[in-house]
Amino acid sequence: MTTPLRLGIAGLGTVGAGVVKIVQRRANLLAMRSGRPVVITAVSARTRDKDRGVRLGDYAWEDDPVALAKRGDVDLFVELMGGSDGPAKAATEAAIAAGKDVVTANKAMLAIHGQHLASAAEAADATLRFEAAVAGGIPVIKALIEGLAGNEVTRVMGVMNGTCNYILTRMEHGHLGYDEVFKEAHELGYLEADPTLDVGGIDAGHKLALLASIAFGTEVDFAGMEIEGIERISIEDIEQARDMGFRIKLLGVAQLTGRGLEQRMSPCLVPADSPLGQLEAATNMVVLEGDAVGQVVLRGAGAGEGPTASAVMSDVMDIARGSRISTFGQPAGSLSKPAPAKTAAPAPFYLRMALQDKPGALAKVATVLGKAGVSIDRMRQYQHSHQPTAPVLIVTHKTTREALDKALAGIDGTGVVDGHPVAIRIEEV
Ligand code: HSE
């Protein structure tokens, strides 16, 4: 009889319960595929007496996840508690110190402590894996580390927060304002306990920082990321961008260029007919580009019980099969210190402004743009009967953010635009 792989699961929320269900229901399949039984020996959660819809009676119970992580009958510690520090980190460190392998879905913990934890795991000859931390059920870590192992990765992009994509697409289809849809998302239970993690771009930023580390062989650098959320996106921008052939997405982009490591998580316009532009509701999409493979597009559920548990089980099964892949695809000590790019790659921008309807107003704006070196690609003025200002949209040619900021300051000084113009980057995808 082959030795079983014994799991200790800390955290029995939606994902934890999903993992227990798969281990119980698919026991034969898992044993056949990995060559050994995969069993649960012990579990831990904040509350013991709660109906989670799964049988837990056969497993030992620990109130303290650190005690669970150290148990002699646990080979693999599955961390599904969440939170960058506190019990999740303490228990992960305890498991590693005890020489146990760890599988986690905790993006926040890895985005902040990934380098330290990966180094500790290697020193202890333990494996630390995190497929479920990025884009839920999409096997993107596996695709990057294994599938693209022969490529120099040139760019990683993605819509990796389902809640934000739900809000943006629901605003568009329902012709609704941000606040109304935010409330709706809250009622549907889509938002994290701290909603700024979602709408502020932080959750998606954590995920992008992890992908960038694998893609470019650099230490995780969440602090070096430029992050902007979707809170200021208006229905006007969504509809007018659409009218110009674009959709607005909370898009993460990471690339390593001569300027350094560029990591951005921000609202961007993407062509409406591109794969990213066609992404609806709470679905995630990750686009990987490599010098040999070209572009690979992965699409799927970014959250939820089944998809996230599926990703956890991918790591569990790898470990059951004896795979010892490094956390970020190469030894932690060989990851280089990233030099964050000070400026983003030039790009076209979408500008929207309320222009006063008087002679010469448009000419003043065009002059300011020209003086800043920003060239106009397309322009549209909407009908505005009975209104003192005309909504004007401009799509620029590729420009630097520096030149654009100079132009925006100049436009503010013209006195012919009400309020500040909206400027959103257009990403070439
Ligand atoms: N809150 C995330 C989302 C899922 O909406 O995609 C967990 O990372």
Side-chain angles (χ1 to χ4, degrees), residues 226 259 262 264 342-351 369 371-375 396-409 423-426:
E226 194 186 305
R259 291 184 309 278
E262 190 176 323
R264 286 181 277 114
K342 289 197 179 59
T343 53
F349 280 83
Y350 153 100
L351 308 179
L369 286 169
K371 275 196 180 146
V374 178
S375 169
T396 73
H397 281 293
K398 257 190 194 180
T399 182
T400 60
R401 183 74 221 197
E402 202 185 4
L404 187 83
D405 285 344
K406 205 168 138 202
L408 292 174
I424 308 177
R425 184 182 171 96
I426 301 175

Side-chain angles (χ1 to χ4, degrees), residues 23-361:
V23 172
Q24 291 179 349
R25 289 181 189 160
R26 303 279 171 259
N28 288 340
L29 194 73
L30 298 176
M32 216 107 70
R33 288 182 175 164
S34 69
R36 61 195 289 206
V38 175
V39 300
I40 298 167
T41 45
V43 293
S44 166
R46 268 202 295 255
T47 352
R48 186 164 186 174
D49 301 321
K50 183 173 169 187
D51 182 10
R52 298 176 166 93
V54 284
R55 275 182 298 107
L56 299 172
D58 295 343
Y59 314 140
W61 179 273
E62 294 281 1
D63 287 324
D64 177 9
V66 173
L68 177 86
K70 291 179 179 169
R71 281 178 70 99
D73 59 358
V74 167
D75 305 309
L76 170 56
F77 178 63
V78 182
E79 188 282 303
L80 302 173
M81 292 177 281
S84 61
D85 294 82
K89 179 164 170 271
T92 299
E93 286 172 335
I96 291 171
K100 297 180 196 303
D101 296 327
V102 177
V103 168
T104 177
N106 193 329
K107 63 226 75 167
M109 178 175 77
L110 288 174
I112 294 162
H113 305 294
Q115 183 65 24
H116 151 70
L117 293 172
S119 304
E122 275 168 30
D125 198 22
T127 297
L128 168 64
R129 303 287 300 270
F130 62 94
E131 183 67 75
V134 182
I138 302 177
V140 60
I141 307 292
K142 195 169 251 309
L144 253 186
I145 292 184
E146 298 180 47
L148 269 56
N151 285 258
E152 182 175 306
V153 177
T154 47
R155 187 166 64 155
V156 174
M157 290 184 290
V159 168
M160 293 181 281
N161 184 277
T163 304
C164 287
N165 205 55
Y166 170 81
I167 291 175
L168 293 172
T169 52
R170 174 84 180 114
M171 283 170 74
E172 179 183 339
H173 296 309
H175 182 61
L176 298 166
Y178 174 82
D179 291 339
E180 199 174 334
V181 178
F182 177 90
K183 223 173 113 214
E184 192 181 293
H186 193 261
E187 281 159 12
L188 286 167
Y190 281 8
L191 287 156
E192 300 277 340
D194 173 3
T196 54
L197 289 176
D198 285 316
V199 296
I202 298 161
D203 167 83
H206 286 151
K207 296 167 184 169
L208 182 68
L210 298 177
L211 292 185
S213 169
I214 299 170
F216 307 116
T218 46
E219 292 184 6
V220 185
D221 183 25
F222 175 66
M225 187 176 304
E226 194 186 305
I227 300 185
E228 187 189 327
I230 61 164
E231 300 99 322
R232 286 185 299 136
I233 298 298
S234 69
I235 183 63
E236 286 77 20
D237 288 315
I238 289 176
E239 292 182 343
Q240 287 167 1
R242 185 79 208 221
D243 204 29
M244 304 277 270
F246 298 102
R247 289 182 94 193
I248 301 180
K249 298 287 167 196
L250 178 67
L251 186 69
V253 180
Q255 55 190 347
L256 188 60
T257 68
R259 291 184 309 278
L261 178 64
E262 190 176 323
Q263 300 180 95
R264 286 181 277 114
M265 180 57 65
S266 58
C268 289
L269 268 67
V270 296
D273 60 359
S274 64
L276 282 162
Q278 290 175 41
L279 195 66
E280 295 292 342
T283 315
N284 281 201
M285 181 173 283
V286 186
V287 179
L288 307 174
E289 292 173 354
D291 60 346
V293 74
Q295 193 178 71
V296 175
V297 179
L298 302 166
R299 176 181 177 281
E305 178 184 310
T308 314
S310 161
V312 170
M313 288 310 296
S314 163
D315 285 338
V316 169
M317 290 295 280
D318 268 358
I319 289 169
R321 291 174 177 128
S323 162
R324 312 293 303 164
I325 291 176
S326 304
T327 308
F328 296 105
Q330 62 185 66
S334 72
L335 296 166
S336 61
K337 292 237 178 281
K342 289 197 179 59
T343 53
F349 280 83
Y350 153 100
L351 308 179
R352 178 172 64 85
M353 62 198 81
L355 191 67
Q356 288 172 13
D357 194 359
K358 56 186 187 192

